[in-house]
Amino acid sequence: MTKNNLTSAFTLGALLCLGLVLLGYSLGSSLIEMKSMERTVTVKGLAEQEVKANIAIWPIRFTELDNDLSTLYQTVQEQTDKVVSFLLKQGFTQDEISSSLPSIEDRQAQGYVDPNVKYRYAAKVTISIYTKRVDLLLGSRKNMLELAKEGIAISSQDYNSRTEFLFTELNAVKPDMVQAATTNARQIADKFAQDSDSVLGKIKNASQGQFSISDRDSNTPYIKRVRVVSTLTYYLKD
């Protein structure tokens, strides 16, 4: 091998060694940086908001008794007309009012007849209001005494007679609530980072929980509490 060839081989070897050293240093620095990025904190952010129901369903139930079936049907129709008239007077429209067929019970057809039962037939009637005018419904319920004066005993203790209030405009409040939950989570993560002498980094991953809608309390079921919890994981840096 000539002197020039030896010099070239030595130079090439030196360059290869230098390249390997630089590559090893670069890889080592990357591994250290990646290891530091593994430090994370996972927090949950809560957002709650009170909203008013935008739909109300009001079932009005009453029962009529008689020993004559045809007379019972006539009475039921008269009382139904009075209830519908009352609702129209309150300001509801025919489209918001629906009446179901009366449920007739023959007490003598049950085999055992209670001697204390005075009437053979019982008709249960339901007239329902489905409306977006929640305030009108709330005001109308206070005027139910007018039906009592008409001789109509409205059932109010039955579970099926309770007024149902719904909130169906969740999409309108979702964006602001998600932002609020994310902000709340970041505040918690910031506090954790400060307490651990770290700096909060970027979000590693995030997940949004399901929205829940519940009554604020039993006395105001038309006020709903909307709630969502978001889970976020942040990187921590020294």
Side-chain angles (χ1 to χ4, degrees):
M1 181 178 293
T2 64
K3 183 177 181 179
N4 289 336
N5 290 337
L6 286 173
T7 301
S8 299
F10 178 79
T11 303
L12 179 61
L15 291 173
L16 288 173
C17 290
L18 179 61
L20 290 173
V21 170
L22 293 174
L23 178 62
Y25 176 78
S26 176
L27 290 174
S29 298
S30 298
L31 289 174
I32 292 173
E33 183 178 353
M34 289 177 63
K35 187 174 182 62
S36 66
M37 290 292 285
E38 289 178 0
R39 294 180 57 215
T40 61
V41 57
T42 300
V43 293
K44 294 184 181 294
L46 170 66
E48 288 185 325
Q49 182 174 340
E50 289 188 357
V51 296
K52 191 171 183 177
N54 63 300
I55 290 178
I57 305 171
W58 181 19
I60 301 175
R61 301 175 185 271
F62 63 91
T63 302
E64 293 294 332
L65 305 172
D66 208 299
N67 284 316
D68 182 76
L69 199 55
S70 60
T71 303
L72 179 62
Y73 274 112
Q74 182 178 352
T75 303
V76 165
Q77 186 60 58
E78 292 174 354
Q79 302 296 64
T80 299
D81 291 342
K82 290 179 181 179
V83 174
V84 172
S85 178
F86 163 79
L87 294 173
L88 293 174
K89 180 181 176 182
Q90 300 305 308
F92 294 105
T93 65
Q94 287 285 0
D95 291 337
E96 295 172 304
I97 305 170
S98 62
S99 302
S100 64
L101 292 175
S103 173
I104 306 296
E105 176 188 0
D106 184 351
R107 298 177 177 181
Q108 291 185 6
Q110 298 177 358
Y112 170 76
V113 180
D114 188 341
N116 296 318
V117 173
K118 184 178 179 180
Y119 297 102
R120 175 177 177 177
Y121 300 106
K124 296 181 179 180
V125 183
T126 302
I127 300 169
S128 298
I129 291 289
Y130 183 96
T131 183
K132 294 181 178 180
R133 296 184 290 172
V134 177
D135 288 334
L136 176 60
L137 185 144
L138 292 173
S140 299
R141 292 198 306 175
K142 300 177 182 178
N143 300 326
M144 294 295 287
L145 184 60
E146 293 184 23
L147 291 177
K149 293 178 180 178
E150 294 284 344
I152 304 174
I154 301 298
S155 174
S156 59
Q157 302 301 321
D158 185 2
Y159 177 81
N160 293 323
S161 299
R162 67 186 182 93
T163 304
E164 186 176 2
F165 296 94
L166 307 176
F167 178 70
T168 62
E169 298 178 347
L170 184 59
N171 287 336
V173 301
K174 266 186 177 181
D176 289 342
M177 291 194 64
V178 170
Q179 181 179 356
T182 303
T183 300
N184 178 246
R186 185 170 184 86
Q187 290 172 349
I188 297 172
D190 271 329
K191 182 65 168 61
F192 179 89
Q194 292 173 10
D195 292 344
S196 60
D197 294 327
S198 303
V199 177
L200 199 65
K202 296 182 178 180
I203 295 177
K204 180 180 180 181
N205 53 57
S207 63
Q208 176 191 305
Q210 290 186 342
F211 279 81
S212 64
I213 302 176
S214 59
D215 297 344
R216 182 177 66 180
D217 54 63
S218 59
N219 295 320
T220 55
Y222 51 89
I223 302 297
K224 302 295 183 180
R225 177 176 287 114
V226 184
R227 187 175 188 270
V228 66
V229 176
S230 295
T231 304
L232 293 93
T233 299
Y234 291 89
Y235 287 110
L236 292 176
K237 299 183 293 185
D238 292 330

